[in-house]
Amino acid sequence: MLLITCPVCSIAGDETEFTCGGLYTAPGDQRVYARGISREWWLCESGCGSWFGLARHTGNQRISAIWVPGEEPDALPGEIA
Amino acid sequence: MRRPTRRYSFSSLLREARHHHRGWAPAWRKAEPKPSYDVVIIGGGGHGLATAYYLAKLHGITKVAVLEKGWLGGGNTARNTAIIRSNYLRPQSMALYGLSHSLFEHLSQELDFNVFYSPRGLVELAFSRQSMDALSRTADANRHFGIKTWMIPPDEVRSLLPMLDDGPHKRYPLFGALYQPRGGIARHDAVAWAYARMASKLGVEIIEECDVENIMTDGAKILGVRTSRGRIAAGTVMVAAAADTPPLVAPLGVNLPIEPVNLQAFVSEPLKPLLDVVVLAGAVDGYISQSDKGELVIGGATDRYPGYSRRGSLPEIEKTAASMLELFPTLSRVRMMRHWGGTVDITPDRSPILGPAGPDGLFVNCGWGTGGFKAIPGSGFSMAAMITSGNAARVAEPYGLDRFAQGRLIDESAASAVAH
Ligand SMILES: Cc1cc2nc3c(=O)[nH]c(=O)nc-3n(C[C@H](O)[C@H](O)[C@H](O)COP(=O)(O)OP(=O)(O)OC[C@H]3O[C@@H](n4cnc5c(N)ncnc54)[C@H](O)[C@@H]3O)c2cc1C
Ligand SMILES: [Zn+2]
């Protein structure tokens, strides 16, 4: 189970309150999911309706960063290039 | 010295019993990797093993290695709920899953191994007029294709499924069901072992604990693979590594539209026989069957986000339990014994990706998602034909990667709305 806090409205909940929008890529970027830390888009579905960024390890599901678009963190340790 | 693989029969059982069962040969040889093979298959799941078997059996290609990073069937092949059916909607799917279903009918005899194929009947419940319409369309399409399915009215559903609670107070009133009398289940790990044993008998080398790190090419054609146990040369490589396939082929410029998603299943304590058929209920995202041991085998929907963890999330467990109790409140005190997850490889149209991709000599057999167990014999049969004779394998041909660029999708998202 994922526990997520929206960086925009601060609502917190499990994944049923949010929607994963796939990899945090620009249009045309052909990257695919792999094991390791991936950046993703998530939608604050039950709260403010904003899209935000989230870095998650696809193996152990640990969340290492959450951000508002435009405030992306620098490269994270273990992140898939 | 290697003992030859002996036929499993009543007389060999008697003979072995007299010698305290010390004379059985291992079901398959534990091979050491050789420097080169004609064909290397990455992934010792059902699809890799079945392709290897049919290459050797039907096409005489025996210089084949199946490389498995863990143990045989340790991926989704021995993590699934073993449902077998062919009541799909699209002609391409009916051809592929229909072929597979017909191969399952005689698989135990063909492979000399009891895979516990049990065509006990399968019902897909309809709880609304819309789902009656959708399932009736499938029944009509199946009839045109010679696949025996038909719609049955609520009374008939009740007689097949006396445990179903569909009183007037229910949230989901029963409208009827799509019935496939030859749908059923088999024992999943036995299918992997049976293919491995026969492939090995025909000369295929099965190499476990051999992790493929990357696929080697000269840019235009395949040269082989680099593994945790050294390099292996091969002009043909088939990747059947489920959700690990996209990262393996991406460095070769092959972008597979596949998402890894976790899917879980549960098994209850053993009960007296109470459920004769396999039940799918898309409306509540749940399905159930009873194993020969008496355990109820229950599954639900996939997680709502990608991942490789092979552990499902708690909300999906709750949802599946709730859906089962909605249909069968009588199960409320049944204890659950085991629960597990697998990482399935989902494509946008919920159909697999089969065929050549990228450099010459590379083939993929993946994207089976939540429903590839039932397709193991059919995909192995047709991929072996495709590898040996180009695109002569009519059944697999529509499933090429180019269908996504050309808009030739084989949309089975309705058929796999509930995982099975
Ligand atoms: C909970 C659950 C329930 C399901 N229920 C059903 C059902 O009822 N009916 C149905 O038809 N289908 C069902 N499925 C789907 C079905 O299990 C799969 O579609 C099918 O098993 C896929 O087989 P495969 O051979 O492609 O993959 P797998 O069996 O996953 O095999 C792939 C193999 O590749 C190996 N591998 C990966 N990377 C490498 C590497 N780099 N080097 C070497 N080896 C590698 C893995 O270790 C693995 O053993 C279910 C799946 C799950 C998880
Ligand atoms: Zn919010």
Side-chain angles (χ1 to χ4, degrees):
Chain A
M1 187 162 77
L2 305 179
L3 292 176
I4 300 172
T5 304
C6 171
V8 181
C9 70
S10 300
I11 193 175
D14 68 30
E15 73 257 17
T16 57
E17 316 254 358
F18 299 86
T19 297
C20 177
L23 288 174
Y24 198 83
T25 49
D29 188 330
Q30 301 269 21
R31 250 175 300 170
V32 292
Y33 269 101
R35 245 187 218 89
I37 295 182
S38 299
R39 293 182 184 220
E40 296 173 318
W41 286 107
W42 279 76
L43 174 69
C44 180
E45 204 180 338
S46 311
C48 63
S50 310
W51 285 96
F52 60 90
L54 182 152
R56 178 172 65 92
H57 195 296
T58 54
N60 62 25
Q61 308 288 14
R62 205 162 295 141
I63 295 170
S64 47
I66 295 184
W67 63 91
V68 176
E71 294 176 14
E72 291 77 12
D74 294 338
L76 300 159
E79 185 171 359
I80 300 167
Chain B
M1 210 190 70
R2 224 190 105 216
R3 274 166 291 179
T5 310
R6 188 180 301 156
R7 260 191 71 76
Y8 290 158
S9 66
F10 187 58
S11 60
S12 61
L13 193 63
L14 272 186
R15 207 169 28 244
E16 280 308 321
R18 283 177 34 224
H19 299 102
H20 304 282
H21 294 286
R22 280 195 294 252
W24 294 112
W28 60 89
R29 272 172 301 127
K30 299 255 177 217
E32 285 299 314
K34 291 205 180 100
S36 79
Y37 293 91
D38 290 342
V39 180
V40 158
I41 293 175
I42 306 175
H47 290 279
L49 292 165
T51 308
Y53 166 74
Y54 291 111
L55 276 173
K57 169 85 182 173
L58 300 179
H59 305 280
I61 299 180
T62 55
K63 275 190 73 183
V64 178
V66 178
L67 310 180
E68 166 53 50
K69 72 175 173 185
W71 65 94
L72 288 197
N76 293 331
T77 294
R79 289 168 187 268
N80 60 64
T81 42
I83 294 174
I84 297 169
R85 59 187 184 87
S86 44
N87 54 355
Y88 282 73
L89 179 62
R90 310 284 165 199
Q92 303 92 324
S93 320
M94 287 186 273
L96 176 59
Y97 293 95
L99 166 69
S100 204
H101 203 160
S102 63
L103 290 169
F104 256 115
E105 298 273 355
H106 306 287
L107 203 60
S108 295
Q109 290 79 2
E110 155 116 20
L111 300 178
D112 180 35
F113 200 111
N114 190 353
V115 300
F116 292 89
Y117 171 60
S118 165
R120 57 186 62 185
L122 177 140
V123 289
E124 275 189 73
L125 302 177
F127 296 113
S128 65
R129 180 101 353 255
Q130 289 77 359
S131 85
M132 279 299 276
D133 285 351
L135 293 176
S136 305
R137 213 171 302 137
T138 301
D140 289 345
N142 290 170
R143 195 168 321 119
H144 277 292
F145 220 82
I147 291 174
K148 289 204 178 76
T149 69
W150 56 85
M151 297 303 292
I152 55 175
D155 280 351
E156 216 172 310
V157 178
R158 282 182 207 111
S159 71
L160 283 169
L161 208 52
M163 180 170 85
L164 181 71
D165 178 21
D166 76 320
H169 58 286
K170 294 299 286 188
R171 176 143 49 124
Y172 297 102
L174 181 65
F175 278 70
L178 175 67
Y179 181 47
Q180 181 166 31
R182 298 297 292 172
I185 54 173
R187 181 159 170 192
H188 46 23
D189 40 14
V191 171
W193 299 333
Y195 274 117
R197 175 169 169 268
M198 269 309 175
S200 170
K201 188 176 176 184
L202 293 168
V204 169
E205 308 226 310
I206 292 166
I207 304 165
E208 289 167 90
E209 292 174 25
C210 182
D211 191 351
V212 175
E213 288 152 3
N214 55 47
I215 302 171
M216 303 179 302
T217 97
D218 65 5
K221 60 179 189 310
I222 291 295
L223 302 177
V225 291
R226 188 176 296 120
T227 80
S228 54
R229 295 171 70 176
R231 285 168 181 239
I232 300 175
T236 302
V237 170
M238 184 186 89
V239 195
D244 287 313
T245 306
L248 268 173
V249 300
L252 310 179
V254 178
N255 288 299
L256 298 176
I258 286 181
E259 276 202 348
V261 185
N262 290 304
L263 173 66
Q264 32 194 345
F266 321 85
V267 162
S268 76
E269 61 186 326
L271 303 170
K272 288 263 172 6
L274 50 75
L275 186 61
D276 298 335
V277 289
V278 179
V279 184
L280 308 180
V284 295
D285 267 349
Y287 62 98
I288 184 167
S289 68
Q290 188 168 23
S291 76
D292 295 333
K293 282 189 282 182
E295 299 161 333
L296 296 174
V297 181
I298 297 171
T302 55
D303 279 0
R304 287 157 43 97
Y305 53 90
Y308 279 96
S309 60
R310 285 184 173 176
R311 283 176 61 173
S313 76
L314 191 61
E316 291 307 326
I317 302 180
E318 282 184 319
K319 212 169 85 191
T320 308
S323 77
M324 283 301 117
L325 294 185
E326 181 80 40
L327 303 182
F328 310 113
T330 181
L331 299 181
S332 64
R333 279 155 188 261
V334 173
R335 277 168 297 200
M336 289 294 142
M337 303 287 276
R338 295 191 301 281
H339 151 252
W340 67 90
T343 299
V344 295
D345 40 345
I346 307 263
T347 61
D349 60 0
R350 303 295 191 273
S351 288
I353 305 177
L354 307 174
D360 235 24
L362 181 69
F363 292 82
V364 293
N365 179 347
C366 58
W368 289 103
T370 60
F373 170 71
K374 63 180 76 64
I376 286 171
S379 109
F381 184 94
S382 19
M383 281 308 292
M386 185 178 266
I387 288 170
T388 44
S389 54
N391 262 353
R394 276 189 306 115
V395 172
E397 199 261 325
Y399 290 89
L401 175 59
D402 54 2
R403 76 174 187 271
F404 297 102
Q406 295 168 358
R408 289 186 292 105
L409 302 190
I410 305 170
D411 189 356
E412 287 293 355
S413 42
S416 18
V418 55
H420 38 63

